[in-house]
Amino acid sequence: MLIGVVRERKTEENRVALTPAGVEALVAAGHRVLVEEAAGEASGFSGTDYEAAGAQVLDGAKVWAESELLTKVKEPVPEEYGSMRRGQIVFAYFHFAASQELTEAVRDSGCVAIAYETIQERDGSLPLLTPMSEVAGRMAIQQAAKYLEREHGGRGVLLGGVPGVAPADVVVIGAGVVGTNAAKMAAGLGARVSILDVNLQKLRYLSDVLPPNVVTLMSNPVTIREALREADVVVSSVLIPGAKSPKLVKREHLALMKKGAVIVDVAIDQGGSTETSRPTNHVNPIYEVDGIVHYCVTNMPGAMPMTSTLALTNATLPFMLQIAGKGWRQACRRSPAIAKGVNVAEGRIVYAPVAEAFGLEYQKLDTLLP
């Protein structure tokens, strides 16, 4: 199969979808790989590196036009909508439920959109979301610590405190991969951490493995409100695969919080789980609502491209080899995980939560897999 890798167009998105090592593996499997000029430079990979691995380096328009399987990191931006074509496979993070415009553009293009974030194993794990969730969870605490500084509008509180002065209170809503990594980082810096979730078994596990400065709480409206009153930092990380995130922090809750507290809404890719959240980027990452600093960058790992690109290729390459080796239909028949990744195919929305998010027509994927 002819596989293409393009440079990311999203603001300050510095990752690339495939490393030279990934190119070498695909070439060894009998595929041809086209890489756009300068696609990997921000992640530390030159065009020469890709050519040495067996890729052909071309202009981006040619990569789009010639590729049967086009892989990228983030969803296509409006300037790329016209490059997608019927029958072409596009393999990327899409987060369709956050954008009806994107959903309709991909549907109307006729391409086959396989979303990293909804590929799901039988045990419920999300193998292509996990590595970036690990990065984003750890980054959430780094960013929160920065924006707690007074010059950014924060409370001027040091996350770990100092002897004789109490540390900051960090509230993590959601104990998935993002939340667990955020809690680890915050606890390691010495903060007092509360992590909330509705899964009691998960809370029992985290209570055993996380340090004593982490308290586990059953998530419900009452405990969320009580936790917000004490919070210097809130990391919101609730995820429903492929669907819009529930709004657990309401506008009126901000009045309960300390002025200058920081909310990091890592769920913003799926619409955000804070009612006052709106997408931001690395150029203008924060804004203030009712005295509360909001950080809602939709591509957080893009700021750490060397780490993120390596971690992403480690996870995506085995699936890419299956899709390229078998074609998307056969790959879906052989792998239920890949089948769950197909959100839009040949003009039809085949992932129910996306159709439900916008009241659009849904068709079962099975009908496209004779």
Side-chain angles (χ1 to χ4, degrees), residues 92-168:
Y93 287 117
F94 281 98
H95 298 288
F96 282 114
S99 173
Q100 185 168 350
E101 178 190 3
L102 171 68
T103 302
E104 292 179 346
V106 173
R107 179 198 62 190
D108 295 346
S109 76
C111 78
V112 178
I114 304 179
Y116 293 163
E117 71 273 9
T118 62
I119 286 182
Q120 189 171 20
E121 300 286 10
R122 294 182 187 277
D123 63 1
S125 63
L126 302 165
L128 305 193
L129 197 59
T130 295
M132 296 303 95
S133 295
E134 291 167 338
V135 172
R138 296 176 187 217
M139 274 189 69
I141 300 304
Q142 289 184 201
Q143 299 304 316
K146 177 166 67 179
Y147 292 110
L148 271 177
E149 295 173 11
R150 185 62 188 164
E151 66 179 278
H152 296 300
R155 298 194 67 232
V157 175
L158 185 64
L159 211 60
V162 294
V165 180

Side-chain angles (χ1 to χ4, degrees), residues 2 61 65 82 111 124 138 170 185 189 229 251 254 274 307 342 367:
L2 193 53
C111 78
R138 296 176 187 217
V170 175
M185 287 291 286
L189 289 171
R229 292 180 194 277
R251 174 69 183 258
L254 302 190
T274 299
T307 297
V342 182
T367 62

Side-chain angles (χ1 to χ4, degrees), residues 177-222:
V177 177
V178 169
T180 300
N181 278 272
K184 284 180 183 177
M185 287 291 286
L189 289 171
R192 293 184 298 211
V193 183
S194 299
I195 184 166
L196 290 72
D197 201 277
V198 294
N199 186 327
L200 191 55
Q201 287 299 108
K202 187 174 291 183
L203 294 178
R204 286 194 177 104
Y205 170 74
L206 293 178
S207 181
D208 284 340
V209 300
L210 291 177
N213 55 329
V214 179
V215 174
T216 58
L217 297 171
M218 177 60 71
S219 182
N220 58 56
V222 173

Side-chain angles (χ1 to χ4, degrees), residues 42-303:
S43 294
F45 305 115
S46 68
T48 303
D49 294 330
Y50 284 107
E51 287 174 333
Q56 184 178 359
V57 177
L58 297 174
D59 170 78
K62 290 182 179 178
V63 176
W64 271 107
E66 296 183 23
S67 299
E68 299 169 273
L69 166 58
L70 191 290
T71 184
K72 62 194 311 294
V73 180
K74 292 298 289 180
E75 71 281 355
V77 297
E79 67 186 83
E80 295 175 301
Y81 290 171
S83 298
M84 297 179 287
R85 67 178 189 275
R86 189 168 190 83
Q88 183 180 49
I89 304 166
V90 183
F91 191 35
Y93 287 117
F94 281 98
H95 298 288
F96 282 114
S99 173
Q100 185 168 350
E101 178 190 3
L102 171 68
T103 302
E104 292 179 346
V106 173
R107 179 198 62 190
D108 295 346
S109 76
C111 78
V112 178
I114 304 179
Y116 293 163
E117 71 273 9
T118 62
I119 286 182
Q120 189 171 20
E121 300 286 10
R122 294 182 187 277
D123 63 1
S125 63
L126 302 165
L128 305 193
L129 197 59
T130 295
M132 296 303 95
S133 295
E134 291 167 338
V135 172
R138 296 176 187 217
M139 274 189 69
I141 300 304
Q142 289 184 201
Q143 299 304 316
K146 177 166 67 179
Y147 292 110
L148 271 177
E149 295 173 11
R150 185 62 188 164
E151 66 179 278
H152 296 300
R155 298 194 67 232
V157 175
L158 185 64
L159 211 60
V162 294
V165 180
D169 286 289
V170 175
V171 173
V172 179
I173 303 175
V177 177
V178 169
T180 300
N181 278 272
K184 284 180 183 177
M185 287 291 286
L189 289 171
R192 293 184 298 211
V193 183
S194 299
I195 184 166
L196 290 72
D197 201 277
V198 294
N199 186 327
L200 191 55
Q201 287 299 108
K202 187 174 291 183
L203 294 178
R204 286 194 177 104
Y205 170 74
L206 293 178
S207 181
D208 284 340
V209 300
L210 291 177
N213 55 329
V214 179
V215 174
T216 58
L217 297 171
M218 177 60 71
S219 182
N220 58 56
V222 173
T223 53
I224 289 174
R225 289 197 301 270
E226 290 176 349
L228 292 175
R229 292 180 194 277
E230 303 299 321
D232 297 295
V233 171
V234 177
V235 176
S236 185
S237 62
V238 177
L239 172 73
I240 300 174
K244 282 190 173 181
S245 300
K247 305 293 186 185
L248 299 181
V249 178
K250 310 292 187 184
R251 174 69 183 258
E252 61 266 25
H253 290 162
L254 302 190
L256 304 174
M257 299 176 66
K258 305 168 186 175
K259 298 302 178 187
V262 176
I263 293 176
V264 179
D265 195 342
V266 188
I268 193 65
D269 273 332
Q270 294 291 118
S273 50
T274 299
E275 205 167 61
T276 47
S277 290
R278 56 178 171 80
T280 63
N281 56 53
H282 290 294
V283 175
N284 296 296
I286 61 170
Y287 60 93
E288 187 178 305
V289 178
D290 297 343
I292 308 302
V293 178
H294 291 58
Y295 177 96
C296 304
V297 174
T298 56
N299 61 327
M300 290 175 65

